[in-house]
Amino acid sequence: MNFYRSILAAALSLGLTFSAAAQTAAPAQQDPTAPNPAPVHPELKGVFEDFGGEAGLTALMDEFMVVMLADPRMRPFFENTDQPRVKRQLVEQFCAILGGGCTYTGRDMKSAHAGLKIDRADFNALVEDLQVAMDRKGVPFRSQNKLLAVLAPMHREMINR
């Protein structure tokens, strides 16, 4: 793993999946101080295509869930959640971020992760699983890194232990 990817992996991990896992609870108020969890980056439209568009993101999230459920570090966060909802909201989030024209309907990262007791190790494990899923789906390395760079700052709202 190169230095750039290592930094992004450390910064990204929880944002993507723990957020969605938390969304199976009753809807919480949006935190008006929390950053936008799906900022649109139209300049990443080419990256969206590298992911295979919305259909590719859907396939990626199917694989991501398989990887996380097989990972004993991640399984407790996802085995008793509404997995179709988790995957759907991750597709929405990634699609919106990558300029694919989707609208993210989930909660902000701070609200979504409140009470989950997520630490740095959890966060890192999630990033590792996402990278495994992206590799398995043939997402080009450079495109993976472009997405991770946008997602990385979200770790500030997710790590809460």
Side-chain angles (χ1 to χ4, degrees):
M1 188 179 299
N2 70 24
F3 177 73
Y4 179 67
R5 191 169 187 174
S6 297
I7 296 292
L8 293 175
L12 167 66
S13 162
L14 289 185
L16 303 178
T17 18
F18 292 131
S19 126
Q23 292 174 21
T24 61
Q29 294 289 331
Q30 291 285 340
D31 183 336
T33 66
N36 180 357
V40 177
H41 290 270
E43 73 279 9
L44 295 179
K45 183 71 171 172
V47 174
F48 176 69
E49 298 305 325
D50 286 345
F51 274 80
E54 193 170 349
L57 288 172
T58 299
L60 172 63
M61 291 313 139
D62 289 340
E63 183 66 24
F64 189 29
M65 187 61 69
V66 167
V67 173
M68 289 187 299
L69 291 172
D71 183 342
R73 302 169 299 175
M74 293 290 96
R75 186 180 316 110
F77 290 100
F78 297 97
E79 66 187 343
N80 295 314
T81 63
D82 180 350
Q83 294 170 14
R85 183 177 183 199
V86 169
K87 293 185 292 186
R88 182 182 69 250
Q89 290 189 328
L90 288 171
V91 169
E92 290 174 1
Q93 186 181 33
F94 284 23
C95 179
I97 288 169
L98 296 175
C102 299
T103 300
Y104 175 66
T105 62
R107 296 185 282 171
D108 65 83
M109 298 295 98
K110 186 175 178 183
S111 298
H113 297 88
L116 291 178
K117 298 180 181 173
I118 298 166
D119 63 19
R120 177 67 67 177
D122 298 324
F123 186 81
N124 291 343
L126 185 106
V127 170
E128 290 171 18
D129 288 350
L130 177 60
Q131 291 171 322
V132 167
M134 289 189 293
D135 287 343
R136 287 182 182 175
K137 289 302 185 184
V139 176
F141 182 74
R142 180 180 166 124
S143 294
Q144 291 181 32
N145 283 341
K146 286 183 178 186
L147 174 64
L148 294 175
V150 173
L151 296 171
M154 293 181 192
H155 80 281
R156 294 178 193 102
E157 286 79 49
M158 294 175 268
I159 295 176
N160 52 32
R161 178 171 69 147

